[in-house]
Amino acid sequence: TTGQELTRIPEVLDVWMDSGSMPYAQVHFPFAGFEDAGIKKAETNDEKTACFAFFEKMWKEEFDMDFQNRPNTPYEWIRDDFWRSSAYYISEWTTIISAIQLSTQIKDNWYVPVGSSVLGRIWTLAEYRGKGYGTKLIKKTLSHLAKQWIQEVYLNAEIKNIDFYKSFGFIQ
């Protein structure tokens, strides 16, 4: 502090380095995006195919029935609905352990208006249940919808899981 006015030299390049923390600073670690850690959106054909196979497997385990034999809903409709939808998933190495499907209702029915957002399939492998994976996926999906100003979301759920979904504000 000599009392002299300091001036900036325009030729100086600003550089920020701090003990190798730059990769974390770029994504504002640990704050921004931390709530989504491990959640991926199925965007490639391989990812979508893997998610659809996961839902088929879970359906078979839960209901002892193949998608192809589901009553009142043709397999082609289930498949086409899935490919029009968004899917988010959490994997451990190459195994999907939890996934959620978000679709837009395109057919008229008695409980979901056409054009509505629908959480249609939410599943977690049995050995991973109770560890918060489904909760993370639901929160991510509802956050995604809220950013699009969508305030009403429908849900297809098993009766045995009603209390779980009510904890997110869903009503029966």
Side-chain angles (χ1 to χ4, degrees), residues 70 73-82 84 105-107 121:
R70 184 175 171 185
T73 309
Y75 177 77
E76 292 76 21
W77 189 89
I78 296 169
R79 184 197 58 223
D80 294 348
D81 175 62
F82 177 79
R84 279 189 303 273
Q105 185 71 19
I106 62 166
K107 290 174 70 176
R121 290 180 183 86

Side-chain angles (χ1 to χ4, degrees), residues 6 11 15 28 48 55 73 81-82 92 115 125 127 145 165 168:
L6 299 175
E11 294 81 26
V15 177
H28 198 233
K48 291 281 277 200
F55 287 129
T73 309
D81 175 62
F82 177 79
E92 191 171 87
L125 292 176
E127 61 269 28
L145 292 169
Y165 296 113
F168 297 97

Side-chain angles (χ1 to χ4, degrees), residues 37-39 88-92 97-100 122-125 127-140 164 168:
I39 298 176
Y88 293 95
Y89 67 98
I90 298 172
S91 62
E92 191 171 87
I97 59 174
S98 190
I100 188 169
I122 304 163
W123 258 310
T124 301
L125 292 176
E127 61 269 28
Y128 291 91
R129 291 181 188 157
K131 297 181 180 180
Y133 294 110
T135 297
K136 280 184 178 181
L137 287 169
I138 292 170
K139 285 181 177 180
K140 168 68 176 176
F164 174 68
F168 297 97

